[in-house]
Amino acid sequence: MCYDQRSSLNRFRAVGNFEKIWRVVTLVPSGCVASYGQIADLAGLPGRARLTSKALGKAPESLGLPWYRIVRSTGQIAFPAGSELAQTQRVRLIAEGVHVNGRQICMQRFGWKPEISTLLYELEF
């Protein structure tokens, strides 16, 4: 297989993986947050937290993804402090009832714990 064919195949795989990630992100309910790694795991892409970040950055706005519900595994907003995106994420989370202390969210309280029915019937593997 030549380089051009490999490159096209890798782009196709990336789009497929992005779509898996986008699908899982749509399942995170209002008032909850999930980590980049959790989303990757539930999309069938364990260990690919950075791919989740990349997929969210490449998502068309027309999808209307609740990107702001995705945070670091520590519960911290990943965008730089004071940035427009960090402020937007903070405001949207607060509007949904998530308590944000500075840039920090309590994962114990607001972390998404999918129902068994979600795991069995709504996730695609």
Side-chain angles (χ1 to χ4, degrees), residues 4-57:
D4 287 339
Q5 289 172 322
R6 257 194 319 251
S7 179
S8 294
L9 184 58
N10 286 339
R11 274 192 299 254
F12 178 74
R13 283 187 187 139
V15 170
N17 287 342
F18 285 4
E19 289 172 346
K20 290 177 185 177
I21 289 166
W22 297 338
R23 169 83 174 109
V24 175
V25 170
T26 66
L27 299 175
V28 181
S30 177
C32 293
V33 295
S35 73
Y36 293 96
Q38 179 183 11
I39 296 298
D41 288 349
L42 292 171
L45 302 162
R48 305 294 302 273
R50 289 185 180 179
L51 185 63
T52 298
S53 176
K54 187 174 183 177
L56 290 175

Side-chain angles (χ1 to χ4, degrees), residues 100-114:
V100 183
N101 185 8
R103 295 175 54 221
Q104 190 69 39
I105 296 129
C106 176
M107 293 300 280
Q108 290 280 69
R109 183 170 174 198
F110 296 103
W112 179 42
K113 297 163 193 75

